Amino acid sequence: MIKALGVAALAAGMLMATGAPLMAADTPQKLTLERLFASPDLSGSQPRGLKLSPDGKLLTSLRPRADEKERFDLWALDTTTGREWMLVDSKAIGSGAELSEAEKMQRERARIGGSKGIVAYDWTPDGKAILVPLDGDLFLAHLDGKVDRLTQSPEGELNPVVSPRGRYVSFVRDQNLFVQPIGGTAVQVTQGGQGTIHWGEAEFVAQEEMDRRTGYWWSPDDALIAVEKFDDAPVGIVTRAAIGADGTKVVDQRYPAAGTPNSLVELYVMKPDGSASVKVDLGTNPDIYLARVDWTPDGKTLLVQRESRDQKTLDMLSVDPATGKATVLFTEKAGARSWINLSDAYQPLKDGSLIWRSERTGFGHLYQFKSGKWTALTSGNWVVQSIAGIDEAKGRIFFVGNKDGFLEQHLYSVDIARPGAITRLTEAGWWNGATMDGAASRIIVARSNPTQPAQLYLADATGKRLRWINENAVKEGHPYFPFLSAHQERKFGTIKADDGTELYWEMITPKLEAGKTYPVFYQHYGGPGTGQQVTRAWNGALPQYLVSRGYIYFQIDNRGSFNRGKAFEDHIHHAMGSVEVADQLVGAAYLKTLPFVDAKRIAINGWSYGGYMTIKMLEAAPGVFAAGISGAPVTKWELYDTHYTERYLGDPRTDPQSYSSSGALADAGKITDPLLLIHGMSDDNVVFTNSTAFAAKMQHEARPFEMMFYPGQTHRVGGPGVSQHLWTTILDFLDRRMPAGK
């Protein structure tokens, strides 16, 4: 999936709850690029991977080291006493061994390619130990600090989990599934995984575009495992040059480009020793997507979501695990100018019903499917994003959505027996995320706002805060405290698109002086299927640094982007690079009406889809912008993958016009404004060919531009030293291309 990786990494940020005003340091310091990317992180400690133990007594998380913010260790917090301690020190037990290529690629898919140490873990069901993958091997960490090694092999272990009853550890090694009894020896339970055949893994598009990271699923009683088998033989080979500082490695990568064959996917059910294998009937058409796989709570039925290649039909299959026979429970269908957005906001219940998120009304809402009948639980012109937890005993669902406005996100609850009676459980004025324990008795709330970075707390089922997990208050001792006095307010507003649609913008300005005008750093993303950019959430210190250099920071969410309902998003159907560009130009026109804006010094910046947008905006409106920065852009959609691209543009074999009009190469000669092109030279997502093709076209058109390519960097260009170099390059470009007074 194309991600925005520009000015501020998508706000994992959350916030502070005290009503007291923030007091700045007596001697304020000036932000520098070096400090922005140094350790500790200016946003404060940012634990991730938070989980409650099965009994709810402990809360575990992955925390960055103070001296190495990209390395994570496993920590525990006693939810009663507040005592915290490190459970597993990644440096103490880690070998430092290089990860397998498969695990590196999985991490790239999960956007944690730059992380080190412990990046995932899994509690045992009895709450007495934790499975910890580290440096390609598996360890079992006990609560008393003892750590047992489970594997020690030159091959890495992918997708490790503890089975639901806790009898087994399972993992993928050398493209086959292994099952290891706790305290026993691992047994290979699938055969033939080699070459293009993979067992227990998710294929490329499932990882990259469908948010499905695994290829096997345990039944609740440990009796059976559903296992995916995929064959990459039909998938085309893209010869990709991974250009690094020490040389070039030529990689023959199986990459399903738009309009080309996908992996052949099959699904089997087997016992933990690999016996009694049964093939699931996925239908007669092999050209489908295996979207989701789940077991019902009683373990008697396998629920499989089968998506059509054109992503306009999603079937929920009920599968008999003993025979593999499948029956269609229900079908979701998209309109002629729309598509199906996959979601994880669903859950089968013990009473045989299913809680399900659907966009059938044009907005994502929750329904109960029971005995063949549908009951709407939420409704309105707003969006349910995710399910945080379900208390089946009380019939209560906890979910995250934007019922109280598109700039905020809150936790709500609704009783199944009282559809539409919704209670908000988080405070107004914040951007919230939430997860719960299995019994939905406790809530982990993550929240933020524009003035304070990440904050986490533990709450009961009413939303009452029980304990801070990470208060992270910006006060003396916090990394951002010395810079607080210079922190400028983030303002929000709306303007109208050409069809009257309301578009939200945000702006940060320096302290304005009468009669003075200021240049604009116009940040944008614009793409579909990802988080919105304009929110009441913390967006990092980098925008504040840009403002400290005299820039106005500005961005707007255009039609085609996410979280405003299907009609808002569907504008880009078979028309990428059209309405998004028009809306961003409306934003530019608005800026030029403001008396404090230097209308001749507006620079645009975007990464990934945003990089594509930079090029399309410069092509569409020469002279409107003083300069543009395009990072890792898609320039030819035929080079991008099937599931993402065909969702929006269709199949290039049947609709080549949508691809030619949406591409960024044909009109490259129209660009007359200064352009800086940036790309990681080992990018396997938006492959480097996108930028080399564009560079060649610009050169053929005799159009001058600047380039900065990063050896060894992937779609995420960053890390120690590199992040500082990237932004030094960007700001040096702007200083030269739109100096004061131009």
Side-chain angles (χ1 to χ4, degrees):
M1 179 180 292
I2 300 179
K3 294 286 189 180
L5 299 173
V7 170
L10 282 178
M14 341 290 173
L15 164 74
M16 179 172 115
T18 63
L22 300 176
M23 302 301 292
D26 293 335
T27 307
Q29 297 181 22
K30 187 174 182 179
L31 276 171
T32 65
L33 275 179
E34 182 179 15
R35 180 61 193 92
L36 276 172
F37 299 111
S39 296
D41 196 304
L42 284 177
S43 294
S45 176
Q46 305 287 357
R48 65 189 191 193
L50 281 80
K51 297 182 182 181
L52 285 162
S53 61
D55 60 8
K57 293 181 180 179
L58 294 180
L59 185 144
T60 45
S61 63
L62 301 175
R63 296 193 178 187
R65 301 175 79 94
D67 60 343
E68 193 177 354
K69 65 182 181 180
E70 294 188 347
R71 173 177 286 277
F72 290 81
D73 302 309
L74 180 62
W75 284 71
L77 178 146
D78 188 310
T79 59
T80 301
T81 66
R83 184 174 76 92
E84 296 179 286
W85 68 100
M86 184 188 290
L87 267 179
V88 182
D89 184 330
S90 65
K91 284 194 170 181
I93 69 168
S95 65
E98 185 174 358
L99 299 174
S100 68
E101 198 64 25
E103 185 167 355
K104 289 179 183 177
M105 291 302 98
Q106 276 201 355
R107 291 191 180 193
E108 283 297 319
R109 303 284 79 76
R111 302 300 186 263
I112 55 172
S115 297
K116 301 176 182 177
I118 303 168
V119 300
Y121 64 95
D122 193 25
W123 275 95
T124 59
D126 62 9
K128 295 181 179 180
I130 301 171
L131 177 66
V132 178
L134 180 61
D135 296 343
D137 280 310
L138 303 180
F139 300 83
L140 197 65
H142 302 273
L143 302 186
D144 61 1
K146 180 184 177 184
V147 179
D148 297 327
R149 178 185 285 273
L150 298 182
T151 66
Q152 189 168 11
S153 65
E155 307 86 7
E157 283 81 38
L158 294 175
N159 306 334
V161 298
V162 180
S163 64
R165 291 287 180 88
R167 293 182 232 171
Y168 307 97
V169 169
S170 52
F171 53 86
V172 174
R173 178 191 289 161
D174 283 343
Q175 301 176 203
N176 281 291
L177 180 65
F178 285 73
V179 173
Q180 179 171 332
I182 298 289
T185 303
V187 176
Q188 181 177 326
V189 301
T190 63
Q191 307 299 322
Q194 59 181 339
T196 61
I197 305 294
H198 297 251
W199 285 93
E201 298 178 51
E203 70 275 24
F204 175 89
V205 292
Q207 293 183 48
E208 180 64 39
E209 309 298 357
M210 297 159 62
D211 288 329
R212 177 168 66 77
R213 309 296 181 190
T214 188
Y216 71 94
W217 302 265
W218 282 94
S219 67
D221 58 2
D222 281 10
L224 297 169
I225 319 174
V227 187
E228 174 186 357
K229 175 187 177 183
F230 73 84
D231 184 356
D232 264 343
V235 179
I237 297 176
V238 174
T239 300
R240 177 172 58 84
I243 303 172
D246 298 323
T248 299
K249 179 181 179 181
V250 177
V251 179
D252 286 336
Q253 179 182 348
R254 297 276 179 177
Y255 189 91
T260 69
N262 277 313
S263 304
L264 293 173
V265 176
E266 298 174 341
L267 185 65
Y268 293 81
V269 179
M270 62 189 67
K271 292 183 178 180
D273 62 1
S275 66
S277 179
V278 173
K279 185 178 180 180
V280 172
D281 180 9
L282 295 178
T284 58
N285 182 4
D287 197 13
I288 51 92
Y289 293 108
L290 181 66
R292 300 286 187 272
V293 179
D294 299 273
W295 290 89
T296 55
D298 60 10
K300 295 180 179 179
T301 304
L302 193 65
L303 297 177
V304 177
Q305 295 180 41
R306 178 183 65 193
E307 186 181 39
S308 61
R309 173 74 182 250
D310 65 5
Q311 299 179 63
K312 292 181 179 295
T313 303
L314 182 69
D315 294 318
M316 174 63 83
L317 304 180
S318 173
V319 178
D320 180 352
T323 65
K325 181 180 178 181
T327 304
V328 177
L329 272 182
F330 60 84
T331 299
E332 291 276 359
K333 286 189 175 293
R337 297 191 57 78
S338 187
W339 60 84
I340 297 285
N341 284 318
L342 296 177
S343 171
D344 289 320
Y346 66 92
Q347 186 171 320
L349 304 183
K350 293 176 182 177
D351 66 2
S353 68
L354 175 71
I355 303 302
W356 178 256
R357 180 188 184 272
S358 172
E359 294 180 312
R360 61 189 63 179
T361 64
F363 291 87
H365 282 292
L366 297 180
Y367 299 80
Q368 183 185 35
F369 181 74
K370 187 174 185 179
S371 301
K373 296 182 179 179
W374 291 97
T375 301
L377 303 177
T378 65
S379 62
N381 294 342
W382 54 277
V383 175
V384 171
Q385 276 290 358
S386 62
I387 294 175
I390 299 179
D391 185 338
E392 294 193 51
K394 295 180 179 178
R396 183 171 300 148
I397 303 173
F398 300 83
F399 65 90
V400 174
N402 58 14
K403 184 176 184 295
D404 288 80
F406 293 123
L407 298 187
E408 297 182 11
Q409 186 167 277
H410 289 282
L411 177 67
Y412 303 88
S413 68
V414 62
D415 290 344
I416 297 174
R418 297 175 59 226
I422 296 170
T423 302
R424 192 182 77 221
L425 304 179
T426 47
E427 298 175 41
W430 308 70
W431 182 269
N432 296 270
T435 58
M436 302 183 76
D437 61 339
S441 64
R442 294 192 178 190
I443 312 165
I444 300 170
V445 177
R447 64 181 190 174
S448 74
N449 72 13
T451 61
Q452 161 86 30
Q455 190 173 52
L456 301 159
Y457 66 86
L458 185 68
D460 64 18
T462 69
K464 178 183 177 182
R465 187 171 69 242
L466 301 175
R467 176 176 298 281
W468 287 113
I469 299 169
N470 181 32
E471 186 176 5
N472 199 30
V474 181
K475 56 187 179 183
E476 192 166 359
H478 189 282
Y480 192 61
F481 182 70
F483 311 102
L484 190 60
S485 63
H487 187 92
Q488 296 299 304
E489 179 187 2
R490 221 159 115 214
K491 300 176 182 177
F492 300 87
T494 62
I495 54 177
K496 300 284 188 181
D498 55 21
D499 68 349
T501 300
E502 196 169 52
L503 307 174
Y504 288 90
W505 58 258
E506 67 174 44
M507 180 187 297
I508 310 172
T509 70
K511 291 181 180 179
L512 300 177
E513 299 178 20
K516 185 176 179 180
T517 60
Y518 301 82
V520 179
F521 192 96
Y522 190 156
Q523 175 72 18
H524 55 80
Y525 177 64
T530 189
Q532 68 191 90
Q533 305 301 296
V534 180
T535 68
R536 296 190 190 279
W538 175 257
N539 68 348
L542 187 48
Q544 294 290 330
Y545 172 74
L546 294 170
V547 171
S548 76
R549 289 181 59 109
Y551 288 101
I552 295 169
Y553 176 80
F554 181 83
Q555 61 179 345
I556 190 171
D557 280 334
N558 52 253
R559 287 171 294 170
S561 58
F562 190 59
N563 217 22
R564 290 281 302 274
K566 282 299 286 161
F568 191 84
E569 193 177 10
D570 286 346
H571 282 282
I572 63 158
H573 184 263
H574 289 219
M576 281 179 164
S578 60
V579 68
E580 320 99 287
V581 171
D583 288 355
Q584 295 292 339
L585 291 176
V586 167
Y590 167 71
L591 285 170
K592 294 187 177 193
T593 67
L594 302 177
F596 52 85
V597 167
D598 186 338
K600 295 182 179 180
R601 299 174 66 210
I602 300 176
I604 51 175
N605 175 71
W607 197 273
S608 202
Y609 199 100
Y612 161 73
M613 285 283 288
T614 291
I615 294 172
K616 294 293 281 187
M617 290 159 70
L618 295 181
E619 290 174 345
V624 169
F625 302 105
I629 302 103
S630 173
V634 175
T635 64
K636 184 177 180 181
W637 285 107
E638 291 90 341
L639 294 173
Y640 207 63
D641 69 57
T642 52
H643 196 271
Y644 182 94
T645 317
E646 293 175 13
R647 187 187 318 157
Y648 309 118
L649 291 181
D651 192 324
R653 294 169 294 186
T654 57
D655 187 7
Q657 177 57 38
S658 291
Y659 282 76
S660 60
S661 61
S662 296
L665 296 180
D667 291 333
K670 295 180 179 179
I671 295 178
T672 58
D673 302 307
L675 170 66
L676 172 62
L677 180 66
I678 304 170
H679 215 125
M681 300 177 83
S682 295
D683 193 336
D684 75 326
N685 178 7
V686 179
V687 294
F688 187 41
T689 305
N690 281 277
S691 279
T692 57
F694 179 77
K697 187 67 163 62
M698 289 286 281
Q699 291 159 355
H700 181 75
E701 297 284 351
R703 292 298 182 190
F705 67 104
E706 298 184 29
M707 296 185 289
M708 179 56 69
F709 296 152
Y710 285 87
Q713 294 289 306
T714 60
H715 197 52
R716 171 192 179 269
V717 173
V722 176
S723 296
Q724 185 177 342
H725 184 276
L726 171 66
W727 282 94
T728 299
T729 300
I730 291 171
L731 293 169
D732 176 68
F733 167 75
L734 294 180
D735 287 345
R736 288 184 290 102
R737 291 302 188 174
M738 51 178 220
K742 182 176 178 180

